[in-house]
C-alpha cells in the first residue's frame, strides 16, 4: 500500500549481518521484515531474532464485538510487551466496518494510528466514540465523537481527557432543550472548562500506574494536554480546538482547515498573553514564559492565566462534496502540510475504490479489516510513516474519518 502512495515511505530495510555462532563458522544474515498490513488492519511484527534475542511485539487496540462496546471503540487496550520496533514504540491501531445500527443509521468509517516516534514516552491519547449521543426527538440524528489529545509533561491529563471528555460533552448536549437548536459554541466551551476543572482535581491515586510524574507533587501543575475534538452529526461537523493539534477537512479535493493552531506568537494570542501580564520568550521557538510552546491547553495550572483551556469552535455544514476529515497531533503537522495529508488520504481512497467490501450487517464484528474502511486505516498508517520519514521528533497520532456517502464511494 505504501508503494501506491507515490513512494511516500521506503519500507524495505537492508539486511543486517549477525555475528558468527560459536558452533559454526558460516555467516548468517538477518532480514528485519518491514511493517505489513494484514486483514484486520494490524501490523506485522518482526520475525523472531536469533542468538537468544527476544522477539519484539507491538501494543494494539483490539476491536471487540459490537454487542460489548455499544458502537464505541474499546476504551482500554491490550498491552503486549511495549518494546521498540524500528525505533518506534507502541503502534496503536483501531478501525471499524461500515456498521448499521439497530435504528438503521450508518456509523462512520474511520482509521486511527498512534506511535511514540522518537520521543522517550508516549503522551498522546485518542478517543473515538461512534453514536455516543442521540437526540431523543430524532431517531436518525446519531452523533459521533473523535478526539486527539497531545499531552506534555506527562500522559495522565491526555488520558483523563480521553476517558472523560466525550462523557462531559454528552451531558452538556443532554442538558440542551430538545426543542431548540444546540448552541455548539457554548456547549463545547462549557465542556472544556469542566474538563479543565476535573484535571485540576486529579490526585496521585487517580493517575495511571505508568505515570512518570507520580513521584512529583500530587497536583502535578506542570502537566497538560492539547485537545482537538470533532463532533460529527448527519448535517454538521463541529470542531473545537485547544492547543496545536489540528483538524483538516477534505472538500472536493481541497484541504480546508477547521482549526487554527494556538501558538504563542499568533498575533491575537500574543496580545492576550501580554494583556494578562505574561510574556512570550523565544527559546527554540516562541514559548509562554519561555516554557510552553502553545498558548492554550487543558491543565498547566502553573501557567494560568496566560495559558487557558478555552477552545475555538468552528461549526461547518456538511455537503455532498465532503470526502474525509483528518485529526492529528502536531507530530504530523510539524512536517506534513494540510494539502499533502489530504492528497495521501485521497490516494488511499482511490486505491481501495474498486475493492470496496459491502457494509457490515447489524450485530456483526466491528473489526474493519474486510470492509472499505481499510482505506482509512491505510491512510492513517501512511501519514504516520510519512511524518517519521520526515524526521518528526514528537509522538504522532492520526485519525481519518470517511465522510463520503455510499454512492460516492462506489464511483469508478
Amino acid at each position: 500500500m505504501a508503494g501506491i502512495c507515490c513512494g511516500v515511505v521506503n519500507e524495505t530495510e537492508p539486511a543486517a549481518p549477525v555475528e558468527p555462532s560459536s558452533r559454526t563458522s558460516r555467516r548468517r544474515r538477518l532480514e528485519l521484515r518491514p511493517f505489513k498490513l494484514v486483514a484486520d488492519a494490524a501490523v506485522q511484527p518482526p520475525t523472531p531474532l536469533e542468538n537468544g534475542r527476544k522477539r519484539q511485539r507491538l501494543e494494539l487496540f483490539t476491536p471487540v464485538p459490537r454487542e460489548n462496546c455499544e458502537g464505541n471503540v474499546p476504551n482500554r487496550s491490550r498491552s503486549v510487551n511495549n518494546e521498540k520496533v524500528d525505533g518506534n514504540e507502541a503502534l496503536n491501531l483501531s478501525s471499524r466496518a461500515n456498521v448499521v445500527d439497530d435504528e438503521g443509521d450508518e456509523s462512520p468509517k474511520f482509521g486511527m494510528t498512534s506511535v511514540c516516534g522518537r520521543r522517550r514516552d508516549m503522551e498522546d491519547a485518542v478517543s473515538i466514540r461512534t453514536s455516543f449521543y442521540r437526540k431523543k426527538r430524532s431517531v436518525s440524528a446519531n452523533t459521533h465523537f473523535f478526539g486527539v489529545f497531545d499531552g506534555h509533561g506527562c500522559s495522565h491529563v491526555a488520558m483523563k481527557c480521553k476517558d472523560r471528555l466525550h462523557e462531559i460533552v454528552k451531558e452538556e448536549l443532554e442538558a440542551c432543550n430538545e426543542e431548540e437548536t444546540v448552541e455548539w459554541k457554548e456547549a463545547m466551551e462549557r465542556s472544556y472548562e469542566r474538563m479543565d476543572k476535573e484535571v485540576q482535581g486529579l490526585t496521585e491515586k487517580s493517575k495511571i500506574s505508568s505515570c512518570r510524574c507520580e513521584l512529583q507533587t500530587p497536583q502535578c501543575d506542570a502537566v497538560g494536554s492539547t485537545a482537538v475534538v470533532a463532533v460529527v452529526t448527519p448535517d454538521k461537523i463541529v470542531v473545537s480546538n485547544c492547543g496545536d493539534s489540528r483538524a483538516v477537512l477534505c472538500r472536493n479535493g481541497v484541504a480546508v482547515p477547521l482549526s487554527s493552531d494556538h501558538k504563542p506568537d499568533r498575533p491575537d494570542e500574543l496580545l492576550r498573553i501580554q494583556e494578562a501580564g505574561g510574556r512570550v520568550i523565544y527559546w527554540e521557538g516562541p514559548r509562554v514564559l519561555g516554557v510552553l510552546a502553545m498558548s492554550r491547553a487543558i491543565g498547566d495550572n502553573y501557567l494560568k492565566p496566560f495559558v487557558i483551556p478555552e477552545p475555538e469552535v468552528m461549526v461547518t455544514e456538511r455537503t455532498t462534496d465532503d470526502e474525509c476529515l483528518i485529526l492529528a497531533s502536531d507530530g504530523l503537522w510539524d512536517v506534513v502540510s494540510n494539502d499533502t495529508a489530504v492528497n495521501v488520504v485521497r490516494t488511499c481512497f482511490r486505491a481501495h475504490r474498486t475493492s470496496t467490501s459491502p457494509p457490515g450487517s447489524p450485530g456483526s464484528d466491528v473489526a474493519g479489516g474486510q470492509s472499505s474502511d481499510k482505506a482509512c486505516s491505510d491512510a492513517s498508517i501512511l501519514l504516520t510513516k510519512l511524518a517519521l520519514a520526515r524526521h518528526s521528533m514528537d509522538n504522532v497520532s492520526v485519525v481519518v474519518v470517511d465522510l463520503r456517502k455510499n454512492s460516492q464511494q462506489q464511483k469508478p
Side-chain angles (χ1 to χ4, degrees):
M1 185 62 218
I4 295 177
C5 286
C6 307
V8 169
V9 178
N10 184 5
E11 294 188 340
T12 60
E13 293 286 346
V18 178
E19 293 299 324
S21 169
S22 59
R23 295 185 178 182
T24 178
S25 61
R26 68 184 181 89
R27 298 182 62 86
R28 298 176 180 174
R29 287 188 175 272
L30 174 64
E31 182 179 357
L32 185 61
R33 297 173 62 186
F35 289 126
K36 181 180 179 182
L37 301 177
V38 293
D40 60 355
V43 175
Q44 176 77 25
T47 56
L49 303 185
E50 299 183 48
N51 296 335
R53 293 174 63 188
K54 292 182 179 179
R55 174 174 180 169
Q56 296 174 328
R57 303 184 189 176
L58 298 171
E59 179 182 343
L60 302 177
F61 283 121
T62 306
V64 298
R66 182 173 182 272
E67 58 270 22
N68 294 336
C69 68
E70 298 181 354
N72 294 337
V73 172
N75 192 33
R76 297 180 180 178
S77 61
R78 184 174 63 184
S79 178
V80 187
N81 193 20
N82 185 19
E83 296 185 5
K84 289 191 176 182
V85 177
D86 287 345
N88 305 316
E89 288 185 354
L91 179 60
N92 301 331
L93 301 173
S94 179
S95 62
R96 64 167 293 149
N98 189 15
V99 178
V100 180
D101 63 21
D102 295 337
E103 286 77 14
D105 287 338
E106 189 177 280
S107 295
K109 297 182 290 294
F110 62 83
M112 182 274 283
T113 306
S114 185
V115 299
C116 184
R118 293 174 173 83
R119 293 291 294 272
R120 182 183 67 178
D121 299 299
M122 182 61 173
E123 296 178 337
D124 282 5
V126 177
S127 177
I128 300 176
R129 310 279 169 167
T130 61
S131 305
F132 85 110
Y133 169 73
R134 178 189 295 275
K135 294 181 67 174
K136 297 178 182 178
R137 298 181 182 276
S138 179
V139 295
S140 63
N142 260 345
T143 304
H144 315 288
F145 180 100
F146 303 90
V148 173
F149 311 101
D150 183 0
H152 47 265
C154 194
S155 60
H156 69 261
V157 172
M159 294 299 295
K160 184 69 173 179
C161 292
K162 169 190 172 183
D163 294 338
R164 277 287 293 152
L165 188 53
H166 70 282
E167 297 175 350
I168 295 175
V169 172
K170 180 179 179 180
E171 292 169 4
E172 290 294 335
L173 295 179
E174 290 174 342
C176 295
N177 190 334
E178 291 289 341
E179 298 291 343
E180 300 177 358
T181 303
V182 175
E183 295 294 337
W184 286 104
K185 185 176 186 296
E186 290 76 5
M188 299 307 295
E189 287 177 349
R190 289 194 300 268
S191 299
Y192 276 58
E193 182 180 3
R194 288 178 56 187
M195 187 73 253
D196 186 66
K197 290 181 179 178
E198 287 194 15
V199 167
Q200 293 180 35
L202 280 176
T203 63
E204 192 72 26
K205 293 182 180 179
S206 65
K207 297 178 193 173
I208 57 177
S209 59
S210 61
C211 180
R212 65 180 171 86
C213 66
E214 58 186 358
L215 298 181
Q216 300 179 15
T217 60
Q219 291 78 19
C220 287
D221 290 342
V223 179
S225 175
T226 72
V228 59
V229 168
V231 177
V232 180
T233 74
D235 57 349
K236 289 182 176 62
I237 302 172
V238 182
V239 171
S240 54
N241 179 56
C242 180
D244 56 3
S245 296
R246 191 183 307 168
V248 176
L249 171 69
C250 176
R251 173 170 288 175
N252 198 23
V254 178
V256 181
L258 299 185
S259 65
S260 179
D261 300 351
H262 292 124
K263 297 294 188 180
D265 60 344
R266 206 178 87 175
D268 56 339
E269 290 295 286
L270 176 61
L271 179 61
R272 179 186 62 78
I273 293 170
Q274 292 175 341
E275 289 179 344
R279 296 179 60 191
V280 174
I281 301 174
Y282 285 78
W283 182 264
E284 295 182 350
R287 297 175 182 269
V288 179
L289 300 186
V291 179
L292 193 62
M294 67 202 70
S295 56
R296 300 194 188 192
I298 294 175
D300 295 304
N301 299 331
Y302 76 116
L303 289 175
K304 287 180 169 44
F306 318 126
V307 175
I308 60 176
E310 179 181 343
E312 288 185 312
V313 182
M314 179 179 291
V315 181
T316 305
E317 296 291 333
R318 293 183 62 176
T319 72
T320 55
D321 292 329
D322 295 346
E323 299 179 35
C324 69
L325 177 66
I326 306 171
L327 280 75
S329 58
D330 65 331
L332 174 73
W333 304 119
D334 285 346
V335 294
V336 177
S337 67
N338 296 349
D339 291 334
T340 299
V342 163
N343 288 337
V344 169
V345 175
R346 297 187 77 220
T347 302
C348 288
F349 282 0
R350 287 195 298 269
H352 286 79
R353 186 172 294 163
T354 57
S355 59
T356 298
S357 300
S361 58
S364 63
D365 194 317
V366 301
Q370 301 299 326
S371 70
S372 60
D373 73 316
K374 188 176 185 298
C376 294
S377 295
D378 287 356
S380 67
I381 293 172
L382 284 172
L383 286 173
T384 302
K385 288 187 175 183
L386 177 58
L388 296 177
R390 292 185 175 183
H391 306 291
S392 174
M393 302 304 296
D394 206 347
N395 304 144
V396 184
S397 296
V398 181
V399 175
V400 176
V401 184
D402 189 348
L403 299 177
R404 301 170 300 169
K405 303 298 182 181
N406 283 333
S407 59
Q408 294 174 283
Q409 297 165 4
Q410 298 296 339
K411 287 180 181 179

